[in-house]
Amino acid sequence: MKKLLVLLFTLFSMSALWMDCKNSEPESKDIFSKKDTANVNTNFKITAMGSGIAKDPDPAIQGFEEAAAGGNNKYNHFDTILVRDLSRKLWKFDGGIDGAKNIAEKDMDGFWLEFTKNGKYTKGSYSNITSKGNYTVDNQGFIEMTPSNSSEKKSQWQSKFNSNMLILVGTPKYGDNQVQMRLSQVDEKPQKATK
């Protein structure tokens, strides 16, 4: 588990360092709402596990594909486990990448995200709520967010979760494939620093 965390951090740091060479400002403070203007990976398709490949004898894989094997698979309730862990506390933005731009914590200062066990989410900046809606999680860790306000765009994220850190990688479904971000668990909403 520690090696996975180190690997994720190393990959994220290397990407951030490479992106830091670019001196562009992000167009929006909320990269959840950003549309894909670069058309990166627009022909990328997510396929179901096991489609087009030989069956893997691993029971963890079989549990996703076969209902009979699912009862004996400790991973078949990954969606339930992820919802439990997502809804434990608030998530604060630590950094990210938007296309070729590195997004630092200061660029989304005060941004937070909260998931509840009943499938609702709220996001905001400091004490302000900027959006609310519903979310779903599947057993492969894809989080789909549907805002209550129909004029806001939906988003889908592949989640990588480890203890108090959450990596969200945008998918092409709603044009977020150029975005990835790192969030950390916090007990309360970020507070504006007083001068």
Side-chain angles (χ1 to χ4, degrees):
M1 188 59 87
K2 193 171 185 177
K3 287 181 181 181
L4 176 63
L5 181 59
V6 170
L7 176 64
L8 282 173
F9 180 75
T10 303
L11 288 173
F12 183 80
S13 297
M14 288 174 31
S15 297
L17 183 61
W18 181 78
M19 296 298 170
D20 197 31
C21 295
K22 308 288 183 184
N23 291 331
S24 300
E25 288 284 323
E27 293 175 16
S28 169
K29 286 220 171 233
D30 185 355
I31 59 179
F32 273 98
S33 302
K34 180 108 172 92
K35 297 236 183 215
D36 179 12
T37 56
N39 293 322
V40 178
N41 295 326
T42 54
N43 59 358
F44 176 77
K45 292 183 181 176
I46 298 171
T47 57
M49 289 182 63
S51 61
I53 59 173
K55 295 280 186 198
D56 190 334
D58 182 353
I61 302 299
Q62 288 177 349
F64 289 121
E65 297 174 353
E66 302 169 16
N72 299 324
N73 181 0
K74 68 179 181 179
Y75 300 108
N76 68 336
H77 296 294
F78 179 67
D79 50 346
T80 306
I81 294 166
L82 184 59
V83 167
R84 182 199 65 205
D85 291 337
L86 281 174
S87 63
R88 201 176 299 156
K89 294 183 180 181
L90 293 167
W91 295 95
K92 176 186 76 67
F93 180 82
D94 290 333
I97 297 169
D98 182 2
K101 298 174 229 167
N102 185 35
I103 309 297
E105 184 177 1
K106 65 181 176 148
D107 296 325
M108 289 186 54
D109 197 28
F111 180 84
W112 54 268
L113 182 61
E114 180 178 32
F115 295 96
T116 62
K117 288 182 183 175
N118 65 353
K120 304 283 185 194
Y121 77 88
T122 307
K123 64 179 177 173
S125 180
Y126 297 114
S127 60
N128 300 321
I129 294 174
T130 59
S131 182
K132 290 182 175 185
N134 299 312
Y135 75 96
T136 58
V137 178
D138 70 10
N139 63 4
Q140 295 178 26
F142 285 94
I143 301 171
E144 188 161 325
M145 299 171 70
T146 306
S148 298
N149 183 345
S150 60
S151 66
E152 294 178 42
K153 84 179 215 40
K154 295 179 179 181
S155 60
Q156 184 186 56
W157 306 90
Q158 171 67 58
S159 61
K160 309 290 183 195
F161 179 78
N162 186 4
S163 186
N164 63 350
M165 183 175 72
L166 175 65
I167 304 284
L168 295 178
V169 179
T171 72
K173 184 171 184 178
Y174 299 111
D176 298 303
N177 44 306
Q178 80 286 359
V179 177
Q180 58 181 280
M181 64 185 86
R182 182 174 39 100
L183 301 108
S184 58
Q185 274 188 337
V186 292
D187 292 324
E188 56 189 38
K189 296 174 186 171
Q191 303 292 316
K192 260 189 184 171
T194 55
K195 294 181 180 181

